[in-house]
Amino acid sequence: VFSKSELSAEVWDDLEEMLITADVGVSTTENILGELRGRERKGQIREIDGLREGLHQELVARLNQGISALALDDQPVVILVVGFNGAGKTTTVAKLGRYWQQAGKRVLLVAGDTFRAAGGEQLNIWAERLGLQCIAGQRGADAAALLFDAIASARARGFDVVLVDTAGRIHTKTNLMDELGKMRGIAQRQQIEVRTLLVLDASTGQNGIAQARAFRDAVGLDGIVVTKLDGTAKGGVLFAVADELGAPVRFVGTGEQPDDLVVFDPEAFVTAVLE
Amino acid sequence: TLSGKLQAVFERLGQKGKLGEKDVEEALREVRLALLEADVHFRVVRGLVDRVRARAIGSEVLQSLTPAQQVIKIVHEELVGLLGEPGKLASGGAPPQVIMLVGLQGSGKTTSAAKLALHLKKQGQRPLLAAADPYRPAAVEQLRILGRQTEVPVHAESAGDPVAISRAALQEARSNHLSHLIIDTAGRLQTDNALMGELQRIKAAVSATEVLLVADSTIGQEALRVAETFHTTVGLTGIILTKLDGDARGGAALSVREVTGVPLKFLGTGEMLEAIEPFYPDRMASRILG
Ligand SMILES: Nc1nc2c(ncn2[C@@H]2O[C@H](COP(=O)(O)OP(=O)(O)OP(=O)(O)O)[C@@H](O)[C@H]2O)c(=O)[nH]1
Ligand SMILES: Nc1nc2c(ncn2[C@@H]2O[C@H](COP(=O)(O)OP(=O)(O)OP(=O)(O)O)[C@@H](O)[C@H]2O)c(=O)[nH]1
Ligand SMILES: [Mg+2]
Ligand SMILES: [Mg+2]
């Protein structure tokens, strides 16, 4: 789009196609383009480079809402890692465990997926490979009870961060969302700080907004980890999610290995969307 | 809903007298919006709206007492036409039928492999599952557990090359006179040339009669490019769309169908192994329209 030499009607059409095919969504795209057209009419944007810069600014601004540190000062703090089936939670828990351990924290992993076949085994293998402590339960065990025990253990053994992997779930299933609320309640009643990270697959379409909203309503939302950004999907649904829920994106998953995790950089993310 | 929005559009337009071609354009804007919000690919939507426009500017809509309903009817018919007839699993030829499940990471391949095996078993068939994902931690164990749950044998090895594993599984299926071999492969990006090459080699090694793309129904615009690449690189014979027990509209079904021409064969509708259903184009069209 930006290789064109002048601001024609065609450029606006190409821009709309670029944003929509990046999963930015129709209404967010229309809001953004509306903003930019207004600026062009006022003469604030006159040529293609100005348009690109203006668009870049608009997109970054939407991602920078609600940015605050993911406070990890309490000891221990429980981090619930939640999200849709197959989004990348278990792999992300392993990556975060390694990340915080390298940052000097004492990390305890909790294999809170007691539902899916090999849910616990999958995290256990990562823990072994990374030299991380992991608490697991039997398949079919109550995940909330497992968390209760893990908290007691974390306190007794002086862990800073308790990273809890949870079973994948569809946000329209009320009983499953209630289970997450119950897990958070258990930690809070133990006077433990709880943070919730939502894991969102970068290739998710407009359903990502409903997902984020439902998880936030059930168990709070202190941050988002967007995974599989090493694929061709641009993750454009994040703009609507950030806009509507003010939830900051914290990390990005860039592959299937434990070190394929980077801290979210809005500038780099927007540059990639506009490529 | 779309029909509600179209009612509102035509009520407002109808108040000024007879409807004209320009008025249809406003209705088409709502149709386009609905399809894009349902994650149908931008270019597929353009083609669809053009086809709807060609039909909607006739008397079918302009002289109808219920123009909104007429537009919905036309859109629904176009969607059903594009979604096509549900496909069946390949049959005929010397057993075993070899089915490969392929797709992006986390789309539901391993779960769908077990579901397909159970589905076949209930039809009196004798399937074998092959755990050809040696990369993901506990992937083999995951399929082993699902095999035990469904009482379907699983060919699993402690380590190794997916091509060799698949070949050995075929050998086992043949010597046990089994009807179907279902190969669960590792999730992969369609841009990973090495791993896409691996799929080509597995397919050739076992002469697969079915290659099913397992796609998450919540996938957005990228569904088009992903399906296209899997199809041109490996050759697909069918699609399984998963996680339809959620509230994603599933517009990816249209994009995938449009770009590959490959039939939708099954729908995944839950985490339980019984949660697999045949695909009904009529129901899918209604779901996408929202
Ligand atoms: N390419 C890529 N693959 C990823 C990334 N994160 C996770 N994956 C892969 O996605 C697949 C699913 O990951 P999991 O960690 O099992 O996902 P999950 O959310 O725990 O899945 P459920 O517990 O079954 O809901 C695996 O094949 C992972 O290797 C990423 O950032 N990039
Ligand atoms: N609700 C629901 N969940 C599903 C469905 N199909 C699969 N899942 C879940 O989606 C998650 C991922 O499923 P897997 O079968 O592990 O996916 P996969 O494609 O084999 O993943 P990789 O091997 O890592 O690429 C699991 O939590 C499954 O239980 C479905 O139809 N509905
Ligand atoms: Mg998991
Ligand atoms: Mg798998």
Side-chain angles (χ1 to χ4, degrees):
Chain A
V1 177
F2 299 111
S3 59
K4 299 225 161 61
S5 54
E6 51 166 272
L7 254 184
S8 60
E10 196 188 10
V11 170
W12 291 103
D13 286 344
D14 289 350
L15 210 52
E16 183 196 37
E17 178 166 0
M18 178 178 76
L19 292 175
I20 289 181
T21 55
D23 286 319
V24 174
V26 190
S27 59
T28 305
T29 297
E30 289 185 351
N31 289 344
I32 293 171
L33 293 184
E35 267 299 307
L36 295 172
R37 293 192 106 120
R39 284 205 246 155
E40 189 212 13
R41 270 195 295 275
K42 290 190 200 146
Q44 296 167 1
I45 291 178
R46 298 214 195 95
E47 21 65 43
I48 212 92
D49 286 342
L51 179 58
R52 186 201 176 104
E53 246 168 78
L55 178 57
H56 189 102
Q57 286 166 8
E58 275 296 315
L59 292 174
V60 170
R62 271 152 213 271
L63 296 173
N64 275 327
Q65 311 193 27
I67 294 280
S68 57
L70 183 69
L72 297 182
D73 318 313
D74 302 285
Q75 262 176 18
V77 64
V78 163
I79 302 188
L80 288 178
V81 178
V82 306
F84 200 77
N85 297 83
K89 298 173 292 298
T90 305
T91 312
T92 297
V93 167
K95 292 174 180 178
L96 288 172
R98 174 184 179 276
Y99 176 82
W100 278 317
Q101 185 183 52
Q102 295 196 325
K105 303 268 180 203
R106 281 161 301 176
V107 181
L108 176 65
L109 302 187
V110 181
D113 180 356
T114 52
F115 173 76
R116 206 205 68 212
E121 287 89 325
Q122 187 184 355
L123 187 63
N124 257 322
I125 292 173
W126 279 125
E128 275 179 40
R129 289 185 191 174
L130 297 170
L132 291 166
Q133 294 292 314
C134 182
I135 286 188
Q138 295 279 16
R139 190 180 180 198
D142 176 25
L146 184 65
L147 177 59
F148 184 86
D149 292 342
I151 288 171
S153 183
R155 272 207 165 115
R157 295 157 62 192
F159 285 103
D160 303 318
V161 178
V162 181
L163 257 171
V164 186
D165 186 20
T166 63
R169 66 202 67 212
I170 296 213
H171 55 283
T172 49
K173 302 191 175 169
T174 348
N175 58 326
L176 299 185
M177 300 307 282
D178 288 346
E179 181 189 57
L180 287 181
K182 181 169 169 227
M183 289 175 78
R184 181 208 216 181
I186 288 216
Q188 288 174 332
R189 279 197 296 283
Q190 294 294 315
Q191 316 298 333
I192 299 259
E193 283 296 311
V194 184
R195 308 269 180 268
T196 302
L197 288 180
L198 172 68
V199 176
L200 189 62
D201 186 324
S203 65
T204 310
Q206 297 310 298
N207 195 246
I209 302 166
Q211 284 180 29
R213 196 181 300 125
F215 278 97
R216 188 236 9 222
D217 291 347
V219 74
L221 193 52
D222 299 292
I224 295 172
V225 180
V226 58
T227 58
K228 310 177 197 172
L229 216 47
D230 46 317
T232 51
K234 302 272 175 146
V237 73
L238 283 177
F239 295 107
V241 171
D243 209 20
E244 250 195 65
L245 305 174
V249 183
R250 303 284 186 188
F251 296 97
V252 176
T254 57
E256 304 192 62
Q257 298 311 318
D259 56 359
D260 290 329
L261 184 80
V262 294
V263 172
F264 182 67
D265 172 5
E267 292 286 340
F269 180 77
V270 170
T271 302
V273 169
L274 298 183
E275 233 137 54
Chain B
T1 62
L2 178 61
S3 89
K5 290 190 185 149
L6 291 180
Q7 298 277 12
V9 166
F10 283 116
E11 267 178 33
R12 185 166 22 91
L13 293 173
Q15 285 169 11
K16 64 176 180 52
K18 277 179 61 201
L19 289 174
E21 290 187 16
K22 273 225 190 74
D23 302 323
V24 166
E25 217 44 52
E26 184 153 344
L28 292 178
R29 253 199 299 284
E30 292 296 338
V31 171
R32 179 177 180 264
L33 182 65
L35 293 174
L36 289 174
E37 284 176 344
D39 292 322
V40 181
H41 192 272
F42 188 90
R43 272 179 260 132
V44 175
V45 172
R46 184 182 296 157
L48 263 166
V49 169
D50 286 347
R51 290 203 290 285
V52 172
R53 178 183 295 109
R55 290 182 57 183
I57 55 179
S59 58
E60 189 178 3
V61 171
L62 299 182
Q63 294 177 18
S64 166
L65 292 175
T66 58
Q69 286 182 22
Q70 281 308 109
V71 172
I72 293 270
K73 173 171 162 291
I74 291 169
V75 176
H76 193 95
E77 281 174 12
E78 287 297 321
L79 292 192
V80 169
L82 178 49
L83 288 169
E85 282 308 307
K88 291 205 151 56
L89 279 182
S91 56
Q97 293 290 337
V98 181
I99 303 170
M100 280 172 68
L101 296 191
V102 304
L104 295 177
Q105 290 89 347
S107 63
K109 298 173 292 300
T110 305
T111 311
S112 299
K115 287 180 182 181
L116 211 50
L118 182 61
H119 169 82
L120 287 168
K121 192 156 169 276
K122 285 183 183 168
Q123 293 184 336
Q125 305 285 355
R126 310 203 310 135
L128 172 70
L129 285 163
D133 177 1
Y135 310 116
R136 170 173 151 158
V140 173
E141 182 58 12
Q142 184 184 3
L143 194 63
R144 265 213 188 98
I145 292 171
L146 296 181
R148 275 201 294 277
Q149 259 177 257
T150 51
E151 297 180 351
V152 170
V154 177
H155 180 97
E157 298 176 20
S158 55
D161 152 43
V163 182
I165 294 169
S166 303
R167 240 189 230 117
L170 179 59
Q171 193 52 27
E172 180 180 339
R174 278 185 181 144
S175 42
N176 291 333
H177 308 288
L178 299 179
S179 63
H180 294 75
L181 171 62
I182 302 169
I183 303 176
D184 177 27
T185 68
R188 66 203 65 214
L189 300 176
Q190 84 280 7
T191 45
D192 187 325
N193 293 327
L195 286 182
M196 293 303 281
E198 178 188 275
L199 284 183
Q200 290 172 325
R201 286 183 291 116
I202 294 174
K203 183 181 183 183
V206 298
S207 307
T209 42
E210 274 291 359
V211 181
L212 303 177
L213 176 69
V214 178
D216 187 324
S217 60
T218 64
I219 188 170
Q221 297 282 307
E222 213 55 25
L224 188 98
R225 193 178 345 185
V226 171
E228 185 173 40
T229 306
F230 270 93
H231 190 46
T232 53
T233 312
V234 189
L236 302 173
T237 59
I239 314 281
I240 299 181
L241 201 60
T242 62
K243 309 177 197 173
L244 282 160
D245 42 322
D247 61 357
R249 303 253 292 270
L254 280 172
S255 317
V256 168
R257 179 73 187 141
E258 167 87 340
V259 80
T260 65
V262 167
L264 282 134
K265 296 204 173 184
F266 294 99
L267 304 178
T269 55
E271 290 197 75
M272 297 306 176
L273 298 178
E274 294 77 11
I276 180 171
E277 290 176 15
F279 152 73
Y280 294 108
D282 195 53
R283 274 193 220 161
M284 193 75 219
S286 302
R287 178 186 183 117
I288 292 172
L289 279 181

